[in-house]
Every structure is written in structure tokens, then in C-alpha cells.
Amino acid sequence: MKVVNLKQAILQAWKERWSDYQWAINMKKFFPKGATWDILNLADALLEQAMIGPSPNPLILSYLKYAISSQMVSYSSVLTAISKFDDFSRDLCVQALLDIMDMFCDRLSCHGKAEECIGLCRALLSALHWLLRCTAASAEWLREGLEAGTPAAGEKQLAMCLQRLEKTLSSTKNRALLHIAKLEEASSWTAIEHSLLKLGEILANLSNPQLRSQAEQCGTLIRSIPTMLSVHAEQMHKTGFPTVHAVILLEGTMNLTGETQSLVEQLTMVKRMQHIPTPLFVLEIWKACFVGLIESPEGTEELKWTAFTFLKIPQVLVKLKKYFHGDKDFTEDVNCAFEFLLKLTPLLDKADQRCNCDCTNFLLQECGKQGLLSEASVNNLMTKRKADREHAPQQKSGENANIQPNIQLILRAEPTVTNILKTMDADHSKSPEGLLGVLGHMLSGKSLDLLLAAAAATGKLKSFARKFINLNEFTTYGSEESTKPASVRALLFDISFLMLCHVAQTYGSEVILSESRSGAEVPFFETWMQTCMPEEGKILNPDHPCFRPDSTKVESLVALLNNSSEMKLVQMKWHEACLSISAAILEILNAWENGVLAFESIQKITDNIKGKVCSLAVCAVAWLVAHVRMLGLDEREKSLQMIRQLAGPLFSENTLQFYNERVAIMNSILERMCVEVLQQTATQIKFPSTGVDTMPYWNLLPPKRPIKEVLTDIFAKVLEKGSIHIFDTLLHMGGVYWFGNNLIKELLKETRKEHTLRAVELLYSIFCLDMQQVTLVLLGHILPGLLTDSSKWHSLMDPPGTALAKLAVWCALSSYSSHKGQASTRQKKRHREDIEDYISLFPLDDVQPSKLMRLLSSNEDDANVLSSPSDLTSPSLMELPSVTLPPLSTANLFLLISSILGSRTAGPHTQFVQWFMEECVDCLEQGGRGSVLQFLPFTTVSELVKVSAMSSPKVILAITDLSLPLGRQVAAKAIAAL
């Protein structure tokens, strides 16, 4: 009956010719308070009555316009009513409806409940569909008019439709509301896409270029609605990106064996966070590689860099090509990057001079093989570089003319690695002499380092190490053997042992360790390496049971070393000898210190130890290093002297094959083992040089200087130019909190914008040494300390505050990403049980647990959050340990941000929150809400909108979880109120 009464009231007003304000007064008299005009469908009733005839009723339309102006009816009800009209042949009615839309289509708003705001989104979507249908009908009418020779009327209506479309879509607020509506009603959006295609077909033959251009612009705006969050402006003005450079340098020097996929993901994240154009991104990778080639010290590191640049990086780019499927043509971007690279002639000339060859030529060939460049592009780039090289400075002499470049050697070593792996798969017992010949060839010159570098860069090093562990295990014991097979077995054991030690020291012990299998026997070398081998940061106990085997075996070994002229080989159990040598050395050392043995006897014993197999000397020095650490300064002399004796070569003709090659590797291993203990005792031991610098990147700290002072100095140098390798040692020595806190203090000292941005990019790279742990400290302790202490707020002012916000977001995103995927091998894992310490360090108050658990596991049905956020039941905190650590620290930070926004105190800390949120939005992942923003409580959105810089539709869309109905309601309510 209400609709009938409403209809009667409208008809009475028309009959009596009420003015618009009289009509409004009388309507309010007729209908008592309680029911709203929208519930009574006033807009619908007015339009129905106004559109009865061939032309609209102007008086009733004036009532509707008055109702809109006086807000008697909501915009959503009017839009819904308009979208129901579908008789487009009545041109005067259509034009009247377009005029009504023109009143408010660019200034839609709603200050009601969340459901009403969602209603506005849906109504706008319906209105957009209606406008597209109306435009298509007008275009058809124009086409018919052109054929009949009367185009004017159709062209006028089409212009009106396009004008309203453009006016509606040009508003970012409207597009944001449509974005929400698309997620609410996917089927309606599909209908809009079909209408858009149909309209495009109709307008394709339109003769008026202005109208056609206007229609195309509207189509572009509609198509941009689903992707409006993923469009970012790339930094075309910037040419250098230190983060990419530093990530590549760190990976090349410290993580050659790392998974290609993890490097690809890290680089992709940096590219997205900094909005780097693909050609400049690829260029920065090449620049870093060439700098690495030029700067790397001779020897192992030079080979590692060569393998990294020419074997691993092309593989990385192949995977990046799959990641950037949105790019029109990745090969074109790579070609563009090389065009830029060829302009850096001094860099390329320096690299060519260092590597004694045309580096660019080899790189182009590899990229061509991997399908990263077309053949025509490769030839074109080669021709350009050849022309440039004619003007390059020539070598002073032809001394390097006959030396093969490392690049050629590395590229040849790659297939050799595969062949050796096949050889190692054969039965070792059938042809041990043939296998020994292969291994002996590997030891000559720099063959071993070449093969290891090629294996590391191509992901085959773990397999390589596994084969040698199997060989080492096979040769530990041989029964019923004669002298020759015994010597072959001893050599195979020794070479495999030395190679594995060398691999563990050069590429990290993780490469050696096998996957833990329950019930499987752990090979001897793995056991020895884990319990007895000194490594950086690993303190061994010389009295550990692993150094105390069966006493009878120790006594027999001591007697053998002391009484025999040389080491026995036949039926020797080499694994037992290696495990017993530490206890034997202790006996011998005690006898020497007590005067039972003279120095000549010690020389004879050490000669026996290193005379046949060098692995015994390695095991002996491993124990001596642990032993020396436990002694006072005045007690170390004899132990250090014994290390000196074991390190020197034995000048004897009665040695086994490949002795000099094995001694060279042994000395390299011993030198690395002793480096820390020698630095601590300020002792020098001259290890026989092999002509190659085997330890270029010693991360040794300067003696007698506080590490805080070292950290400050090194960071200052790195900002200008310098090496970042020493930071790894400082992180290990000072701990994660000390390391992160002091580097953040250095960042906050910067006062110039360009310096702070450079510092952020370098700090991010440095934090990659252990991103998850640094992020945990940064988000969970350092930032809360700065935000809650008013005496520190001044340090958060621009530019250092902006820089810190950027760094925090980058770290949070990277940490979250690596937590979901595979963390880098160089990053130390945090134990699960440490989460209890974390919770006790940053306790949650009585209100926070419910908020935290709500935002970590958003409940779609929880519609009460909007009206009464505090009226929630608190779930058990026992659920917390299932939450991974980086998300937990991020969630706690967002709770603190929510608290800051809710307080009445404004200052640099509230400004910092704004910068932090802006950076979160700026780094938003394509296609959805950013991984960090999912921990933002819904109730924070309304507080954020009060900050003027955050009150933009795009920001609101970004900071709410639009995948949830509740998130869409929050976003619609916030945007509609703008």
C-alpha cells in the first residue's frame, strides 16, 4: 500500500501543480517519520511517473531533482532507478536521465552504514552498464541517421552519453568504488566487458574523430579499473641502482652455490619495490658483474666471479624472463641493456684488460645460446663492440698473449663437470687406477678451482660433493690388499678428503651435508666435518668425545708415528687414523712439553703424519687449533710450533703420487683453519705459498679497535666506495640487534636526501646477510623504541625518517617473501622455540591478543568489527607459536601504528607512520593486497583516512584486504566518505 500511497501523492502534486519545495513539505506531512525515502523507493516512483509518455514530465522531474539536492534520496537509489530504464528509442527521456546524472556523477558520496556504501558501489556499476548500453544505442541511432541524412540528433545524444561516461570515469574515487563493485559482483563486470566490446565494434566506423577519441579514452579508463592498484610509474630519470649492484656483489662473492630461484625472487622484489625499468635493471646486473670481474682478487675468487657472470647470471635472466611475462619482449629489453652497456666503454675496456679477452663477446654468445638475444642482435652488438675495441688501450707487452683467459677455461669446465660426475658414478673397485688418473688431473694447476666454480655456478656442486663423499667412504678400509692397491686407496682417500675440505671452506659446509634420513648411517667425512673441523664462528672443544677414540687405537698410532720410518699403508683404516690422530697428537705434545721427546723426534713424527697422506695433517691441525684456543698465551708456543711443522712440505723422494699438488691444497686448508686463532694470538705462521692467493676475502677485523668504531668507519667508506664483506664478520661478532641498531643510528645521522636514499639502498643490501633476523629486530624492537620514546622523535624527521620508513618496508617485504619461500643459504635460521623469548620481549597487553589474532586470521563473518571493534573475545595465546616470526613482528608494529593514530599527540612519529604506509602502498604487489598490509587491522583504516596524505581512494584500496567481504565494506565506507 505504501507504493500506491506514494504514487497517489505524486499524482496529486502533479494535478495541483505544486512547486518543488511545496511538494517536499507536503510529502513530509503525508509520510510520518520512521521509514526513509529510500525504503519507500521514492526515486524509483518519481522516475516511473516522469517517464510514462514519449517525453519526460518536467514537473515530476523537478521533484526528483529537488529530492536529490536536498538529500531526501540517496545517490545509489537514483542510479539504480535510472539503470532500470531501457527504452532508448525515447531520446528525450534518455537525455533527461543523462541531465539528472550530470548533477552528481562526479561527486558521489555516502556517510551511512557500510552496507549502504557497498550499495552505492553496486548502483554505480549498474549505472555504468546502463551508460554503455545507452551509448551503444545512441551510436546505432547516429549510424541510421547518417544513412537517412539526419545525423544531428543522434550525434548530440552520443556526445551527451560520452560526456557523462568521461565525467563519471575521470574521478579516481568513482573508479575505486567500481573496483570494489567488480569484486562484489563479478558477473555484472563481465556484462560491462561485453558491452564495451560491442560498443567498440559500433564506434569503429565512426567518422567523427573527436567522439571516437573520447570513446577510446573511456574504454581505457574502464579497462584500467581492475588493475588500478598495480600501476606504478617507473624511475626513468634514475640511472644507478645500488641495491641491485650490492645484491649481485654479495651473491657473487658469498653465495655462488645458492639456488638460482632465490636470487631471482630477491632481484624481482628489488625491481618491484624500486620500480626499476627492465632495461636499466638488466644493465645494473651486468655492471655489477663487470665490476666484480675487475675487482675480484686473483685466484679462486676470480674464477668464482667468472663462473657467476658467464654461467649463473644467464640462467638467472632466463628465469627472470618467465617472471616478466607481462613485458612485451624481454629479449628486446636485454638488447636495450647491452646497447646501454656498450656505452660504458671504460668499464668494458678495464674488464677486457683484466680478463685478457673480449668479455662482452663471450657474454653475448652465452646470452644468444640461452635465447636471451636474437642472432641478429648478437651480431649487431658484437660488431659495435669490435669497433670500440680498436680504440681501447693496448696491453704493454705480449706476456699474456699465450695465457688462456679464465672465461674460456670456465666455459670449457662446465661440460667437463658433467663428464666427471658420470665417471664418479662407475664402480670404484673395478678401475681405481683410472679414477686416480682423473682425480690427479683435477689437482693440476687451477683445474680443481675451475671445476668447482663451474659446478657451483650451475648448481651441480652438491652432487659433486656427494660423489666424493661416497668415494671417500669407499676408500676408508680395504681388506686383503697388496702394496700397490693400498697406495692407490690411500691416494683416493686423501684426494677426496682434501677436495671435500677445500669445497667446505670455499663454498660452505652446507654443500657437503646430506639430507637427514632416519636410520641412515652418516658418512665418515660428514661426521668429522661437523664435529672436528674448525670453521668461522664455530668453537670446538678439544676434550670432546669425538677427539677421544679407543685408547688402544691411539697407542698403536702413536707407536707407528714414533717408531716407523714411514706411514703404513696396507690394510690401514684411514677413517680410524683420522679420528685417532687428535688424541695421538695430545700424547705426543704432552711428551714433548715434559721433555720425554726431543724436537728431532717431533720433526720425525710430523714428517710421518704428512709424508704419505695429507689428510692426517689436516685432522691433526684441526685439533691443535681447538687446543690452542683453550691455552693461555704463554702455553701456546709448542702447539703453534707443531702447526708450523705440519704445514711445511716434506722434501723426500719416497712420497706418493701428486704429492706437491696435495700439499698445495693442504696448506690452503690449514691456512683457513688457523686464521682466526692466529689473529687472536697475534702469531704469524708462514704457510708455503702456491703462487695463488687462496684467501682473498678474509673478513678479519682490525686488531685493537672497538667493533662499533669499525662498523661506523666501514659504513662511511661504503657510502662513498668500498667493500661490504667485513659486515658479515661484524654481524657475527656484535649480534643482530647491535648490528641493526648501530647501522640505523648511522642512517638517522644523514641530513641530505640523496645521501639517505643511497644509505637505504646499501643498508638493505647489507641486511640481506641475514634478512629475517635483522627484520625481526628492526620491526619488533628498534622501530617501537623510536616511535614510543618522545625524546627520539626528532630523529624521525625528513629526510632520515622517510628513508627509515622505506628501509623498514623493504625489509618486511623481503623477509616475508623469503619466509614463504626458501631463505638464502647464508642466512642463519632462527629456532622455533625462540618465539617464546620473542613474546616475552614484546609482551601483548589484554586487548592486543584478540586484535592480533583477528587480523592474522580475518573472519569473513565478523561484521561487528566495524561497529564495536573492542567487543571481541580473546582467543588463547597458545595459538601464537604457529605464527611465523616476520609476520608476528609486522603485526605487532601495525598494532603500535594503530595506537599512534588513535592518540591525540601529533609529531614526527605520526609523520613516520604516514611515510611507512605510503611506502607499503608504493611497494604493493601486482594483482592484490601487499603481503605486509594483510596484517593491518581493519579498524586502523578509518584512523589512517584522517591523515590528509592517506585519504586517497587508491591508498584505501591498497591498505584493506579486498578479498574479504568485510574488507570491501571497510574500503567502500572509507572511500564513499571522502
Side-chain angles (χ1 to χ4, degrees):
M1 289 298 293
K2 284 183 180 178
V3 175
V4 175
N5 291 337
L6 192 63
K7 184 178 177 182
Q8 287 173 350
I10 294 168
L11 288 172
Q12 184 181 348
W14 173 68
K15 286 175 184 175
E16 296 178 10
R17 297 293 188 270
W18 293 345
S19 64
D20 49 13
Y21 69 88
Q22 274 181 318
W23 168 81
I25 293 167
N26 290 331
M27 287 293 283
K28 286 174 184 177
K29 286 178 184 175
F30 291 156
F31 296 92
K33 291 181 181 178
T36 63
W37 296 112
D38 281 356
I39 292 175
L40 296 171
N41 288 326
L42 177 60
D44 214 6
L46 284 168
L47 270 182
E48 187 183 339
Q49 293 301 313
M51 299 295 164
I52 288 174
S55 62
N57 185 315
L59 184 60
I60 297 178
L61 276 185
S62 72
Y63 298 160
L64 177 61
K65 289 177 183 178
Y66 187 87
I68 294 169
S69 301
S70 61
Q71 296 184 358
M72 283 176 69
V73 290
S74 66
Y75 294 132
S76 57
S77 66
V78 178
L79 289 171
T80 305
I82 290 173
S83 61
K84 289 178 183 176
F85 183 86
D86 56 2
D87 187 0
F88 298 115
S89 61
R90 291 191 281 167
D91 56 309
L92 294 175
C93 290
V94 169
Q95 289 169 21
L97 292 175
L98 289 172
D99 284 337
I100 289 171
M101 280 194 76
D102 198 39
M103 291 174 63
F104 58 85
C105 65
D106 58 342
R107 52 184 179 87
L108 295 174
S109 64
C110 178
H111 299 277
K113 294 179 181 177
E115 292 81 2
E116 293 172 17
C117 299
I118 285 287
L120 177 62
C121 297
R122 289 177 172 149
L124 183 59
L125 192 67
S126 301
L128 176 63
H129 190 205
W130 182 83
L131 272 172
L132 287 172
R133 286 162 52 220
C134 184
T135 308
S138 303
E140 286 280 7
W141 187 28
L142 172 61
R143 191 168 63 183
E144 290 168 5
L146 286 169
E147 291 170 2
T150 55
E155 192 167 329
K156 178 190 173 186
Q157 186 165 308
L158 179 60
M160 284 180 72
C161 289
L162 288 173
Q163 188 184 353
R164 302 311 181 276
L165 258 178
E166 191 175 25
K167 191 173 181 180
T168 304
L169 293 167
S170 59
S171 161
T172 310
K173 178 178 175 178
N174 286 357
R175 293 202 304 277
L177 293 172
L178 287 166
H179 185 88
I180 295 168
K182 172 195 170 291
L183 298 172
E184 282 284 318
E185 296 185 357
S187 57
S188 298
W189 184 259
T190 308
I192 282 177
E193 288 176 329
H194 287 316
S195 297
L196 195 59
L197 285 171
K198 184 183 174 184
L199 181 62
E201 291 168 7
I202 296 170
L203 294 175
N205 302 319
L206 195 66
S207 58
N208 189 322
Q210 186 179 350
L211 290 178
R212 194 167 61 243
S213 168
Q214 200 173 5
E216 286 170 2
Q217 192 176 351
C218 291
T220 305
L221 285 170
I222 292 171
R223 281 186 286 270
S224 73
I225 288 168
T227 58
M228 66 185 298
L229 287 179
S230 56
V231 179
H232 294 291
E234 293 188 327
Q235 298 195 59
M236 300 305 295
H237 62 283
K238 195 175 173 186
T239 55
F241 300 92
T243 310
V244 178
H245 200 97
V247 166
I248 292 292
L249 287 176
L250 270 176
E251 199 75 13
T253 52
M254 300 180 70
N255 200 29
L256 181 60
T257 57
E259 289 285 335
T260 309
Q261 185 63 27
S262 60
L263 176 58
V264 168
E265 287 172 3
Q266 191 176 11
L267 287 171
T268 307
M269 177 159 286
V270 171
K271 180 184 187 298
R272 193 186 73 244
M273 289 191 304
Q274 300 188 17
H275 313 308
I276 308 173
T278 306
L280 296 182
F281 176 67
V282 177
L283 172 66
E284 198 65 38
I285 292 174
W286 291 136
K287 278 163 63 180
C289 288
F290 275 94
V291 169
L293 285 172
I294 295 165
E295 298 287 335
S296 59
E298 286 185 24
T300 311
E301 289 303 319
E302 187 181 357
L303 297 177
K304 283 166 75 173
W305 258 110
T306 307
F308 181 73
T309 303
F310 294 91
L311 293 179
K312 188 166 185 176
I313 289 296
Q315 291 294 331
V316 168
L317 289 178
V318 167
K319 290 200 172 187
L320 282 171
K321 184 178 180 180
K322 294 174 185 173
Y323 263 68
F324 303 152
H325 51 78
D327 287 8
K328 290 178 182 176
D329 192 356
F330 188 73
T331 54
E332 188 55 43
D333 288 331
V334 174
N335 181 56
C336 185
F338 270 110
E339 292 280 6
F340 289 144
L341 185 66
L342 291 183
K343 293 175 183 176
L344 305 175
T345 313
L347 177 72
L348 301 184
D349 289 347
K350 184 88 172 171
D352 289 356
Q353 196 172 5
R354 172 69 197 275
C355 299
N356 192 32
C357 66
D358 186 351
C359 299
T360 315
N361 196 10
F362 282 110
L363 200 54
L364 289 168
Q365 286 178 22
E366 285 303 304
C367 289
K369 285 179 194 173
Q370 299 293 344
L372 295 166
L373 284 172
S374 65
E375 190 177 344
S377 297
V378 170
N379 294 332
N380 177 41
L381 292 164
M382 280 182 176
T383 307
K384 287 183 179 179
R385 178 60 189 151
K386 187 177 179 183
D388 285 346
R389 286 197 84 212
E390 290 175 4
H391 307 292
Q394 300 297 315
Q395 296 274 1
K396 292 181 181 177
S397 64
E399 58 184 15
N400 295 329
N402 298 323
I403 299 175
Q404 276 196 312
N406 283 334
I407 299 172
Q408 272 186 330
L409 296 173
I410 281 286
L411 293 174
R412 284 182 197 166
E414 186 197 3
T416 310
V417 169
T418 309
N419 294 334
I420 289 172
L421 288 173
K422 288 178 184 174
T423 306
M424 297 289 290
D425 280 332
D427 188 349
H428 303 318
S429 60
K430 288 183 179 176
S431 58
E433 290 88 355
L435 183 59
L436 181 61
V438 172
L439 299 188
H441 180 70
M442 284 174 65
L443 294 177
S444 61
K446 56 184 179 183
S447 297
L448 178 61
D449 284 326
L450 273 167
L451 291 167
L452 292 179
T458 52
K460 295 173 185 169
L461 189 59
K462 202 165 182 71
S463 175
F464 204 79
R466 186 60 22 208
K467 308 284 186 199
F468 278 97
I469 283 177
N470 294 338
L471 173 63
N472 184 262
E473 194 70 10
F474 172 76
T475 55
T476 52
Y477 177 65
S479 59
E480 300 178 6
E481 61 182 355
S482 57
T483 307
K484 188 176 180 187
S487 64
V488 170
R489 184 171 66 85
L491 278 169
L492 287 174
F493 175 86
D494 199 43
I495 292 171
S496 58
F497 187 95
L498 293 171
M499 279 185 177
L500 288 166
C501 285
H502 184 64
V503 168
Q505 288 184 332
T506 310
Y507 295 99
S509 56
E510 298 88 2
V511 179
I512 305 293
L513 298 174
S514 58
E515 302 296 328
S516 55
R517 292 178 304 224
S518 57
E521 190 177 343
V522 180
F524 154 71
F525 184 82
E526 277 193 52
T527 306
W528 179 84
M529 184 188 73
Q530 286 181 290
T531 54
C532 307
M533 182 176 172
E535 291 181 272
E536 184 186 357
K538 184 163 118 184
I539 308 298
L540 299 173
N541 176 10
D543 299 323
H544 191 275
C546 69
F547 292 120
R548 295 285 174 272
D550 185 5
S551 57
T552 55
K553 292 175 184 175
V554 175
E555 286 170 13
S556 61
L557 182 59
V558 170
L560 183 68
L561 293 171
N562 193 27
N563 301 327
S564 306
S565 58
E566 60 181 43
M567 179 64 74
K568 179 186 88 165
L569 299 178
V570 178
Q571 294 186 2
M572 186 71 175
K573 295 180 179 177
W574 291 112
H575 62 300
E576 289 184 0
C578 286
L579 291 171
S580 303
I581 193 72
S582 52
I585 288 288
L586 177 59
E587 296 290 332
I588 293 161
L589 199 59
N590 286 337
W592 185 20
E593 287 176 342
N594 293 319
V596 177
L597 289 176
F599 181 66
E600 290 74 20
S601 301
I602 298 299
Q603 279 185 312
K604 176 191 169 186
I605 290 168
T606 52
D607 286 351
N608 271 342
I609 291 172
K610 66 189 178 186
K612 296 291 185 185
V613 291
C614 298
S615 43
L616 280 180
V618 173
C619 294
V621 172
W623 179 82
L624 282 166
V625 166
H627 180 64
V628 168
R629 282 180 181 276
M630 303 300 166
L631 300 175
L633 284 174
D634 53 342
E635 300 170 319
R636 298 181 173 186
E637 178 54 38
K638 283 190 165 55
S639 299
L640 292 170
Q641 206 167 344
M642 189 172 277
I643 293 175
R644 285 192 188 92
Q645 290 298 316
L646 289 166
L650 177 68
F651 300 103
S652 167
E653 295 178 2
N654 193 22
T655 54
L656 296 177
Q657 280 178 280
F658 313 118
Y659 185 68
N660 290 335
E661 291 87 348
R662 286 184 290 128
V663 166
I665 297 176
M666 178 190 79
N667 282 322
S668 163
I669 294 165
L670 297 186
E671 192 171 7
R672 286 174 184 259
M673 279 184 176
C674 297
V675 62
E676 278 194 18
V677 76
L678 293 181
Q679 187 196 19
Q680 288 167 5
T681 56
T683 311
Q684 287 190 340
I685 294 181
K686 187 166 176 59
F687 292 88
S689 175
T690 55
V692 176
D693 182 5
T694 55
M695 291 207 58
Y697 287 124
W698 277 354
N699 300 340
L700 297 181
L701 301 175
K704 298 179 182 177
R705 280 188 72 192
I707 56 173
K708 169 97 183 279
E709 195 178 303
V710 175
L711 182 74
T712 307
D713 286 358
I714 293 292
F715 184 68
K717 287 176 184 173
V718 167
L719 282 175
E720 296 173 17
K721 178 190 175 184
S723 165
I724 59 178
H725 305 101
I726 196 78
F727 284 112
D728 196 34
T729 308
L730 288 164
L731 170 61
H732 174 70
M733 182 171 282
V736 182
Y737 175 76
W738 174 89
F739 184 76
N741 192 38
N742 281 298
L743 283 175
I744 294 300
K745 284 179 183 176
E746 294 305 310
L747 170 64
L748 294 177
K749 288 178 187 174
E750 297 292 340
T751 53
R752 295 185 61 179
K753 187 174 181 179
E754 59 272 25
H755 289 179
T756 56
L757 290 176
R758 182 171 171 78
V760 163
E761 295 191 327
L762 287 166
L763 276 176
Y764 173 80
S765 314
I766 293 164
F767 287 171
C768 284
L769 290 167
D770 195 353
M771 181 57 79
Q772 288 198 16
Q773 294 300 303
V774 173
T775 304
L776 186 66
V777 163
L778 178 61
L779 301 187
H781 198 72
I782 296 172
L783 281 183
L786 290 168
L787 291 171
T788 54
D789 187 349
S790 57
S791 65
K792 295 177 181 174
W793 288 351
H794 67 279
S795 63
L796 294 176
M797 295 176 72
D798 195 32
T802 320
L804 179 57
K806 188 182 288 286
L807 178 64
V809 174
W810 288 4
C811 289
L813 278 170
S814 301
S815 185
Y816 182 83
S817 173
S818 65
H819 208 90
K820 288 194 298 181
Q822 181 184 12
S824 171
T825 52
R826 65 171 178 263
Q827 292 184 358
K828 304 161 188 67
K829 309 288 188 298
R830 185 179 174 89
H831 296 295
R832 292 290 317 159
E833 58 269 18
D834 286 358
I835 192 156
E836 293 174 9
D837 302 334
Y838 177 77
I839 292 168
S840 64
L841 184 63
F842 310 115
L844 300 165
D845 61 32
D846 293 337
V847 180
Q848 284 178 324
S850 57
K851 284 186 180 178
L852 178 61
M853 292 313 299
R854 191 178 82 256
L855 65 95
L856 289 179
S857 53
S858 301
N859 182 4
E860 294 189 21
D861 301 321
D862 188 7
N864 296 325
V865 172
L866 290 171
S867 54
S868 53
S870 59
D871 184 22
L872 293 161
T873 54
S874 299
S876 170
L877 270 176
M878 291 300 288
E879 295 178 54
L880 276 176
S882 65
V883 182
T884 48
L885 283 171
L888 181 60
S889 55
T890 311
N892 267 325
L893 182 63
F894 276 130
L895 290 175
L896 177 60
I897 283 174
S898 187
S899 162
I900 289 170
L901 289 170
S903 69
R904 296 183 180 181
T905 310
H909 63 307
T910 48
Q911 186 72 52
F912 176 86
V913 167
Q914 179 191 321
W915 293 325
F916 183 87
M917 296 307 301
E918 282 174 350
E919 191 61 34
C920 282
V921 173
D922 200 39
C923 295
L924 189 68
E925 288 186 55
Q926 290 194 3
R929 192 180 186 218
S931 55
V932 175
L933 285 167
Q934 67 180 293
F935 303 109
L936 181 71
F938 285 135
T939 47
T940 308
V941 177
S942 56
E943 296 292 342
L944 274 169
V945 175
K946 294 174 186 175
V947 180
S948 58
M950 303 301 291
S951 57
S952 81
K954 272 194 177 184
V955 170
I956 294 167
L957 287 180
I959 62 179
T960 45
D961 190 349
L962 298 176
S963 63
L964 300 175
L966 183 59
R968 294 195 287 273
Q969 287 181 29
V970 170
K973 189 171 178 4
I975 293 169
L978 292 179

